[in-house]
Amino acid sequence: MVLLLKKFGLFLLGLLTVVLPAINLQARILDLTPAFPFTVQGVWLTNVDSDVLYDADQLKTAIADLKITNFNTLYPTVWNGGHTLYPSPVAEIYLNQSQDPHPGLQGRDSLAEAIALAKAEDLQVIPWFEFGFMAPAESDWVKAHSDWLTQNAQGETIWLEGKKHPRVWLNPLHAEVQDLITALALEIVTNYDVDGIQFLSLIHISEPTRLR
C-alpha cells in the first residue's frame, strides 16, 4: 500500500511539474503583496443538476450575477461524466469523442465562453476536473479500455454511486490513465487563458470501499 501511495504521489508531482510552468503559477504567487492577500471567493459551475454550461445566455447572466455578488473566482467543470465539456482533440484521441454529446454543447466551446465572460468581469478562471478518476460504467471508451479500471480482489470493477448510478474508478497507477489526465490538463493550460487547474477530485484516492 505504501509503495502504491508513493507511485501515485510521484504521478501527482509529475503532473504539477508539467502543468504549473504553463500557467506561470509561481510568478503569480510571487507577485502577491503580503499586506493585501488575495481572498478567493469562488463558485463551482457544474453541469450536474444545472444547465448553466449548456446555454450561452444562462452562462452570461450567471457570471454577471456572480460579479455583482462579489465572487472573484470561477471553477467551471471541464471533465464530467466521462467526457470533456469543451472541444478536445485529446479526448478525441484517447476516448474517440471530442466532448460531451449534450445538445447544449454542440457547436460551442463553453470553456472559452466562460473565460471570455469572466475575464471581462475581472474574475479568475480555474477549470475543474470534477469527475476525477471516476467514469460511467456504460461509456463506450470504458468498455474499450477495461485494463484502465481499478478492481477488487474478486475482479469487480463496478460500484453504484448513490445506490443507482453504475460507476468505475480509473486506476491512477496505470500509465495510459496518467497520460490521459496529463494530456487533458496540458491541453487546457496551453490553449486557454486560465489561472490554474483544480485537481481536488484526483487527489481523493480513497477509491470506493467496494473496490478494496
Side-chain angles (χ1 to χ4, degrees):
M1 182 62 179
V2 173
L3 180 58
L4 293 179
L5 288 174
K6 286 183 177 179
K7 288 183 177 180
F8 182 70
L10 289 174
F11 162 60
L12 288 179
L13 180 61
L15 183 60
L16 293 175
T17 299
V18 297
V19 171
L20 291 184
I23 58 177
N24 198 23
L25 184 58
Q26 184 177 9
R28 294 177 187 273
I29 293 174
L30 293 176
D31 284 343
L32 292 179
T33 304
F36 301 98
F38 179 78
T39 300
V40 175
Q41 295 173 221
V43 64
W44 287 263
L45 298 182
T46 179
N47 63 328
V48 177
D49 298 324
S50 171
D51 291 333
V52 67
L53 295 175
Y54 295 147
D55 185 282
D57 291 333
Q58 284 193 42
L59 183 60
K60 182 177 181 179
T61 299
I63 291 177
D65 289 345
L66 290 171
K67 175 64 176 181
I68 292 173
T69 49
N70 294 320
F71 284 94
N72 57 30
T73 306
L74 302 182
Y75 300 89
T77 296
V78 291
W79 169 249
N80 207 350
H83 299 286
T84 57
L85 273 69
Y86 64 96
S88 168
V90 168
E92 180 68 41
I93 293 171
Y94 281 86
L95 311 178
N96 201 33
Q97 191 164 41
S98 64
Q99 71 172 338
D100 190 307
H102 190 284
L105 294 175
Q106 306 315 300
R108 298 175 54 220
D109 186 335
S110 64
L111 177 57
E113 291 174 16
I115 291 172
L117 291 167
K119 296 298 181 179
E121 298 286 3
D122 198 27
L123 304 179
Q124 294 199 25
V125 180
I126 300 178
W128 175 30
F129 280 70
E130 182 174 358
F131 241 50
F133 289 113
M134 187 167 63
E138 66 273 14
S139 294
D140 289 339
W141 66 265
V142 167
K143 296 175 182 177
H145 297 285
S146 59
D147 57 315
W148 289 9
L149 309 182
T150 300
Q151 58 181 289
N152 61 16
Q154 290 72 45
E156 298 171 325
T157 59
I158 298 176
W159 59 284
L160 295 180
E161 180 192 17
K163 298 183 180 181
K164 61 180 180 179
H165 301 294
R167 306 297 194 203
V168 297
W169 200 264
L170 301 180
N171 182 353
L173 301 180
H174 194 289
E176 289 182 280
V177 172
Q178 295 182 0
D179 289 345
L180 167 64
I181 299 299
T182 301
L184 289 173
L186 280 175
E187 176 178 64
I188 291 171
V189 299
T190 301
N191 298 328
Y192 297 89
D193 181 18
V194 299
D195 299 285
I197 292 282
Q198 186 181 22
F199 289 128
L200 181 61
S201 297
L202 296 182
I203 298 174
H204 289 309
I205 62 173
S206 55
E207 75 282 355
T209 54
R210 179 70 182 275
L211 298 179
R212 293 178 183 172

